Amino acid sequence: MSTTCAHLREATDRVPEPSRVDGCEDCLAAGERAWAHLRMCTECGHVGCCDSSPHRHATAHFHQTSHPVVRSFEPGESWTWCYVDEQLRP
C-alpha cells in the first residue's frame, strides 16, 4: 500500500461509542454467540463479527449502510480496514 485511502485518513480520529461491548450486536440480537472476531464501524460504532464468523455481520453492515471503515474491536489490536478501497492500515 503506497498511499492510504481517503476513507482511512478520515476515520483516523473517529472514536464512536461501540453499540455493544460484549459481542456482535447482530449475533446477540439473534440469541447467538458464534463469532470469531469483532469489528467496529468507525462511522456509527456498530460492533459486528468478522468474515471468519458464520454470519459476517461487519461486512453485512457495510453493504447495508455504505460505512466504509471498520476497526478491530479485539483487545491489543488497532488496525483499520476500508471495504471500498480494500486497504488496511496497521
Side-chain angles (χ1 to χ4, degrees):
M1 175 173 72
S2 57
T3 60
T4 302
C5 75
H7 302 110
L8 289 173
R9 285 192 305 273
E10 292 167 5
T12 298
D13 296 325
R14 283 194 210 125
V15 186
E17 191 70 27
S19 61
R20 297 291 298 245
V21 295
D22 56 343
C24 172
E25 174 180 349
D26 302 302
C27 287
L28 290 169
E32 298 181 17
R33 299 186 69 83
W35 58 84
H37 300 283
L38 299 173
R39 311 294 180 236
M40 184 179 72
C41 174
T42 61
E43 291 279 329
C44 68
H46 175 271
V47 175
C49 53
C50 70
D51 287 354
S52 295
S53 301
H55 300 292
R56 304 172 55 176
H57 285 125
T59 297
H61 177 75
F62 161 67
H63 289 296
Q64 292 167 349
T65 64
S66 297
H67 294 167
V69 178
V70 290
R71 177 177 293 125
S72 175
F73 200 60
E74 293 295 315
E77 295 183 358
S78 60
W79 56 263
T80 53
W81 170 258
C82 176
Y83 285 106
V84 174
D85 298 311
E86 296 185 341
Q87 285 194 10
L88 176 73
R89 181 175 49 202

